[in-house]
Amino acid sequence: MFAHSIPGRPEDTWEPLTHHLRAVGERAAGFAAHFSNGQMARAMGLLHDIGKCSDAYQRYIRQDDSNRKVRGPDHSSAGAQEAVKAFGAHMGRLMAYGIAGHHGGLMDSEDLSDRLVKPLEAYDGWCDHVGELPSAEELSGIRLAQNGIDRAFSLAFLARMTFSCLVDADFLETERFYRIAAGEDPPSRGGTVQHHHLEAVRAHMARCRRDDTEVNRLRSAILDHANGKAALPPGLFTLTVPTGGGKTLTSLSFALEHALAHGLRRVIYVIPFTSIIEQTAAVFRDEVALGEAVLEHHSSFDWDSKPPETGNDAEGEGAAGLAKLRRDAENWDAPIIVTTAVQFFESVFAARPSQARKLHNLAKSVIVLDEAQSIPVHLLRPCMAVIDELARNYGASVILCTATQPALRLQDKALPATPEGRAEGLDIPAERELAPDPQALYRKLKRVEVEWLREPVTDEEIAARFAQQPQMLCIVNSRGHARDLFALLREQGQAGAMHLSTLMCARHRRAVLDKVREGLKAGQPVRLISTSLIEAGVDVDFPEVWRAAAGLASIAQAAGRCNREGRAQAMGRTVVFEAAGRKMPPAIEAFYAPAREVMRREGLDVLGLEAIRDYYEALYWRQQYEALDRARLPGGEALAIIPAIRELARQGDFPFATIARAFRLIDDAMDPVIVPYDDAAREAIHDLAEAPFPPAGVQRRLQQYVVPVPAKVREALVATGAVQAIRPDEYGDRFMVLVEEQKGQLPGLYDPQLGLRIDCDPASRSAEANIFS
C-alpha cells in the first residue's frame, strides 16, 4: 500500500502508506502538544489517509500519467468514519471535520454528516498501517477554559486548531518525501525566538535612546516600564501610548522580553494598514538587525489562493506538485511574523487547508495587535472571541496596542450587554497595562489642539488655507476627493503641492514621502493632499493638519502627523471638517456621528482617554449588540457568527464552510496590479516571467510595485489589454502587470503624480475601511 507515487519510477521508490500515516501523526502531535492536545492530533494524522487502502485508490496511483485523472478516489471519508467509531459521536465527530476536510477544507455539519454515512469502497487492512491509536480515555481528558465571549466558541476553535496541525503536517511530510525522492534535502524551515533576537532589539533600543527632549525621555520611560512587566504571566495586555510615544518598538521589545521569559515561540505583529506592512518589516529586519528572522506576509500576493490544477492528482505528484507545495508553504513557522489584520483574522475563520496551516503556530506566541481600535465593528465580537481564546487555551499573549484603546475591557463597560443581560468584554486587569499611567502620558505628550468646524468647508476654502500655510497636510476620505484637491492646488500654482493615495505603488509613495520629509526639514513649502493611508504610522511632522469627517480614532491618527516631535513653540493645529458638496457615505457617518457627539462637548480634550472611552461607548451602543457580529454571505444574507456556532454546538455541529464564506474584514477586497514603475520593478517582472519557479525573494521585491484595485476594475483593465498576466498557465491571475506601451517607460495609465488612473473611484469609504485594503 502506497500513500504517494512517483510516475515513471519503480514502486520501491514510492512512499509506503504506513510511513506517511505515522509520520503525519507524529508531526501533528508535536504541533498540538503546544496546546496539550497531542493525542487528538496524532489520532487524526494516523487516520487521515486510511482510505488509500482501497483497491480503487491503489489502482489509481499506479496508472500512467496519460490515464490518471486530476482528482483520485475519495480517501478522506474513511478516516472520518473510523474516528467517530473509535472516539464517539462527540470527540470523534470533532476530529472528523479535520480528517474529512484535509484536502477540500472544513465543511458544514450537514456535509460532514453526509460523508459519515457515505458508502465507501472497502479499505480493509487499515489497522495494520495505523498501528495503535490513542485510546478514547486518553482523548476524554481534554479540558478547555470557557471562552469569555461565548462558551461554545472554544470547541469550534479546537476543531480548527487540530485541523491546522493535521493539514500542515500532511503538507510538510508530503513535501519532505518528494524532495528526498528528487535527491534534494528537505527545505529548512522556520525557527523560534532565540536570545540573539532579543539581544538585537536591546542593542537597537540602546542606540536609539535619547534624553535630549521631553518626548524622548518619555519614550525611554515607556520602554523601561513595559519591559519591566515582561515577567507577568502570559495572557492579555494593553499598551496605551499616544501617537509619537514609540509604541511600535516598545511593543516589539516587550514581546521578545516576554517570549524569552516564558518560553513562547514567536512574535506575530498584526497591522491593519497594508501601506506600512513593508515599512514595519523593513525596520525590524534592517534597522533592528533581525534579518531573516522576520517573515513578511503581505496580502498583495495571496499564496493561499488555489492555483490552476496541475500535477497528477489532488496532492500534486511530481514536479508540478512540488511547485504547488512551494507556493503553499506559508505556515508562519518563523521567529517574527509581520502580517495584516486581514490575513490574521480571516485565516482564523478560514476553511481552506492552505489558509489554516498557520493557525497552530499561534499557540504559545506573543501576538501584537497594532492599532487595535481598527477591528471592524461589524465583526468585533468574533474577533474578541479569538483574542480571548488564544490567551485562555493556547498559551498565547495578546497585546492590544494603540493610541486610542477601543474600550474592550470588562471594566470599561462600553460594550452593550448580551441579550441575557451579561456584561461583555475582555478580562484585562489594570495592572496588565504596559504603559506607565496612560492619563499622565496623554497630558505630557499633548502637542495638538483639535478644532472642529461646524459648517461644511469647500475645496476652495481648503486651498485658500493652503495658500496661507505653506506647510500643511489635508487628509480626505476618498481618492477622488484627493485627486480633485490636488488638481485645484496645481491650477492655482501653489508651490510644493503633492499627492498620496493607494492608487500609487509603495515605491512611488515612498519617493513622495522622502520628498515631503526633505521639504519639511528644509523649511520649504510642502502642501500635501492624502487619503487616510498617511495615518498608518507614517512619520511626518506638519505644523497644521486638516482632517475630513471621520471617527475619533482617525482624527487622533491625523493629529499624530501634527507637531509630532513637539518642536513648535505653540500647540499644533488639527482641524476637523465636513466636505461641502460631497455626500457622506453611511460607512463614514457611522463613525463620525459618535465623534461629533464628543466634539460638541465643551471643555473636553477630544484626544484624551475620557473622550476616547466615551466615543467607543457611543459607537458600540449606537450600533447595538447585534451589529457587533454581522458578517455577510456572498449573496448578501447576514450571518451572526457567534450565534451560528452556539446554535449547532450542542450536537457537535459547526457551520465552518458557511462562516468562512461570510467572514470578511472588508467587503470590497482588492486585487493587485503590478506596475513597472522603475528598472527594479522591470527586472523583477522579467525574472518572474523567465524563471522555471518563482525566484527567491521576487514576491517581496514586487510588493513595492503593487496597486490594489477592485476586482471589477482589474477585470476591465484586462479586457482592454492594459493589464496582462505573467505565465497564467502556471500562476493563474496571481501576477497581473500593467503593460508598458514603450519598453522602459512608465505606462500611460500610470500618472507620475497621481498613480494608476481608473475611471471609477470605489474608494469613497470610511478611513476605518480603507486601512484594511
Side-chain angles (χ1 to χ4, degrees):
M1 297 289 180
F2 294 100
H4 298 113
S5 63
I6 306 176
R9 292 179 61 178
E11 289 187 6
D12 61 6
T13 65
W14 297 4
E15 183 177 30
L17 182 59
T18 302
H19 177 271
H20 180 66
L21 294 178
R22 298 184 185 189
V24 172
E26 286 304 308
R27 193 185 281 259
F31 291 156
H34 294 293
F35 50 94
S36 303
N37 278 283
Q39 292 291 68
M40 181 178 177
R42 175 180 283 108
M44 292 172 68
L46 290 171
L47 292 172
H48 81 287
D49 270 358
I50 62 172
K52 290 184 176 181
C53 287
S54 71
D55 289 342
Y57 195 90
Q58 291 301 310
R59 286 195 304 270
Y60 161 73
I61 64 171
R62 285 173 167 84
Q63 289 177 341
D64 293 335
D65 284 354
S66 58
N67 296 323
R68 187 180 294 183
K69 299 177 183 177
V70 170
R71 191 171 297 278
D74 176 1
H75 64 271
S76 56
S77 295
Q81 293 181 8
E82 294 299 332
V84 174
K85 291 177 187 176
F87 302 107
H90 180 67
M91 184 57 65
R93 187 177 179 89
L94 201 67
M95 298 162 63
Y97 279 104
I99 297 170
H102 76 271
H103 285 308
L106 289 172
M107 60 195 73
D108 288 343
S109 55
E110 299 91 338
D111 297 320
L112 178 64
S113 295
D114 290 344
R115 296 282 288 275
L116 292 178
V117 297
K118 177 181 178 181
L120 301 172
E121 284 217 30
Y123 48 94
D124 301 337
W126 66 270
C127 292
D128 296 335
H129 300 284
V130 166
E132 187 175 355
L133 283 170
S135 67
E137 290 73 23
E138 287 178 285
L139 269 63
S140 65
I142 294 173
R143 295 290 181 268
L144 295 171
Q146 182 174 308
N147 187 276
I149 303 302
D150 192 272
R151 67 180 61 191
F153 190 83
S154 295
L155 207 58
F157 200 81
L158 176 62
R160 291 185 183 280
M161 291 294 274
T162 52
F163 172 65
S164 171
C165 295
L166 172 62
V167 294
D168 197 27
D170 191 23
F171 269 97
L172 293 174
E173 287 299 331
T174 302
E175 178 187 52
R176 176 181 175 82
F177 167 71
Y178 281 112
R179 289 295 289 263
I180 292 174
E184 304 172 10
D185 292 330
S188 59
R189 292 198 179 279
T192 56
V193 167
Q194 302 295 322
H195 196 73
H196 67 270
H197 300 134
L198 176 58
E199 289 301 321
V201 172
R202 286 175 174 173
H204 177 76
M205 301 310 291
R207 291 192 299 270
C208 294
R209 191 180 288 268
R210 301 283 188 275
D211 62 358
D212 53 336
T213 66
E214 177 65 12
V215 170
N216 283 330
R217 286 190 289 273
L218 282 172
R219 287 171 178 163
S220 295
I222 293 166
L223 173 68
D224 292 341
H225 189 271
N227 286 341
K229 294 200 170 188
L232 287 174
L236 300 177
F237 295 89
T238 55
L239 177 60
T240 311
V241 177
T243 301
K247 65 180 182 298
T248 299
L249 288 175
T250 293
S251 59
L252 176 66
S253 177
F254 168 82
L256 284 166
E257 296 278 358
H258 184 66
L260 268 297
H262 297 284
L264 304 184
R265 299 183 294 159
R266 56 186 47 84
V267 174
I268 302 170
Y269 212 93
V270 183
I271 304 174
F273 312 105
T274 56
S275 56
I276 62 164
I277 286 289
E278 185 183 55
Q279 169 187 307
T280 302
V283 169
F284 292 175
R285 187 185 301 114
D286 302 327
E287 295 183 23
V288 184
L290 290 168
E292 294 305 311
V294 179
L295 169 67
E296 180 184 348
H297 192 170
H298 196 284
S299 59
S300 292
F301 294 119
D302 186 3
W303 289 104
D304 293 332
S305 56
K306 188 177 180 181
E309 288 289 354
T310 56
N312 300 306
D313 69 16
E315 297 197 27
E317 313 284 358
L322 181 55
K324 178 181 184 299
L325 287 165
R326 287 176 177 174
R327 293 194 296 271
D328 286 338
E330 196 80 68
N331 66 348
W332 287 8
D333 185 6
I336 298 164
I337 296 101
V338 182
T339 191
T340 64
V342 169
Q343 281 286 345
F344 182 83
F345 285 111
E346 291 192 2
S347 293
V348 166
F349 288 100
R352 291 206 317 264
S354 56
Q355 284 183 288
R357 284 181 60 191
K358 63 178 78 74
L359 298 190
H360 68 88
N361 277 325
L362 302 181
K364 292 211 171 170
S365 295
V366 185
I367 301 163
V368 181
L369 293 179
D370 192 28
E371 307 298 348
Q373 81 284 352
S374 300
I375 298 173
V377 173
H378 74 287
L379 292 172
L380 188 64
R381 294 188 70 239
C383 289
M384 288 172 62
V386 168
I387 293 167
D388 189 82
E389 188 67 18
L390 287 169
R392 283 183 190 269
N393 289 314
Y394 294 89
S397 285
V398 185
I399 307 164
L400 304 183
C401 178
T402 177
T404 51
Q405 279 294 348
L408 300 181
R409 301 176 304 172
L410 277 169
Q411 63 263 43
D412 294 323
K413 299 178 180 178
L415 294 166
T418 68
E420 299 79 24
R422 177 174 60 86
E424 192 161 71
L426 298 172
D427 187 7
I428 312 178
E431 61 268 19
R432 296 179 78 86
E433 167 60 55
L434 300 178
D437 193 356
Q439 288 278 13
L441 280 180
Y442 272 78
R443 290 193 299 271
K444 292 175 181 177
L445 285 169
K446 181 177 172 62
R447 301 183 297 280
V448 174
E449 294 287 356
V450 175
E451 178 183 340
W452 176 47
L453 302 182
R454 295 171 183 260
E455 297 298 324
V457 177
T458 66
D459 287 358
E460 287 73 19
E461 289 173 308
I462 297 172
R465 181 56 188 165
F466 266 116
Q468 298 169 350
Q469 175 58 270
Q471 290 193 340
M472 186 175 119
L473 165 65
C474 181
I475 304 171
V476 294
N477 288 323
S478 78
R479 299 186 296 213
H481 194 185
R483 188 171 57 242
D484 294 345
L485 262 177
F486 177 66
L488 181 58
L489 294 189
R490 283 200 296 183
E491 287 173 12
Q492 295 179 354
Q494 294 203 29
M498 285 180 269
H499 166 274
L500 280 175
S501 88
T502 53
L503 289 176
M504 303 158 70
C505 67
R507 177 58 64 88
H508 188 179
R509 294 198 303 266
R510 190 180 307 122
V512 172
L513 285 169
D514 288 344
K515 190 175 179 181
V516 165
R517 294 187 182 103
E518 291 170 6
L520 290 172
K521 186 175 181 180
Q524 298 169 350
V526 179
R527 297 175 167 99
L528 180 60
I529 307 292
S530 178
T531 59
S532 59
L533 70 88
I534 199 166
E535 296 168 353
V538 177
D539 187 4
V540 291
D541 189 354
F542 284 85
E544 186 167 326
V545 174
W546 284 46
R547 181 53 168 99
L552 200 55
S554 293
I555 293 168
Q557 289 286 350
R561 314 310 123 196
C562 182
N563 195 21
R564 186 177 178 85
E565 298 298 327
R567 295 190 180 98
Q569 295 188 3
M571 285 283 179
R573 183 183 187 223
T574 295
V575 178
V576 180
F577 68 95
E578 297 177 19
R582 294 185 184 269
K583 185 178 180 180
M584 190 178 298
I588 292 178
E589 175 63 29
F591 290 92
Y592 179 54
R596 188 168 48 211
E597 290 178 16
V598 171
M599 289 188 291
R600 281 184 176 138
R601 291 163 56 182
E602 296 292 336
L604 182 69
D605 179 2
V606 299
L607 300 183
L609 295 187
E610 179 186 353
I612 296 295
R613 187 256 172 218
D614 290 350
Y615 164 74
Y616 280 108
E617 181 180 22
L619 175 65
Y620 297 149
W621 281 90
R622 177 181 295 274
Q623 300 288 328
Q624 299 304 318
Y625 178 82
E626 293 78 10
L628 304 184
D629 182 359
R630 186 175 290 169
R632 198 163 295 280
L633 289 161
E637 180 185 355
L639 176 72
I641 289 175
I642 298 294
I645 292 172
R646 187 194 313 124
E647 287 167 11
L648 293 174
R650 295 183 184 90
Q651 294 80 37
D653 292 341
F654 300 102
F656 289 120
T658 297
I659 288 172
R661 290 195 302 272
F663 189 94
R664 294 290 180 270
L665 284 192
I666 53 170
D667 294 328
D668 50 351
M670 303 288 186
D671 287 340
V673 171
I674 304 168
V675 178
Y677 178 73
D678 58 20
D679 289 341
R682 296 181 187 101
E683 181 181 355
I685 292 167
H686 176 269
D687 290 348
L688 185 63
E690 298 299 326
F693 294 113
V698 73
Q699 179 182 351
R700 183 182 299 165
R701 288 154 60 195
L702 286 173
Q703 283 171 9
Q704 304 172 65
Y705 302 103
V706 164
V707 173
V709 299
K712 290 184 178 179
V713 171
R714 194 173 77 167
E715 289 170 7
L717 293 171
V718 171
T720 63
V723 167
Q724 294 180 357
I726 297 178
R727 293 166 64 178
D729 290 344
E730 289 107 319
Y731 303 138
D733 63 356
R734 290 182 181 177
F735 301 106
M736 306 296 286
V737 179
L738 193 64
V739 176
E740 295 176 301
E741 291 88 354
Q742 296 186 36
K743 191 176 177 67
Q745 293 188 12
L746 203 60
L749 280 178
Y750 195 89
D751 187 287
Q753 292 181 300
L754 297 173
L756 185 63
R757 303 187 69 96
I758 56 177
D759 293 332
C760 61
D761 180 31
S764 295
R765 306 178 290 169
S766 68
E768 285 82 356
N770 259 336
I771 54 179
F772 289 93
S773 61

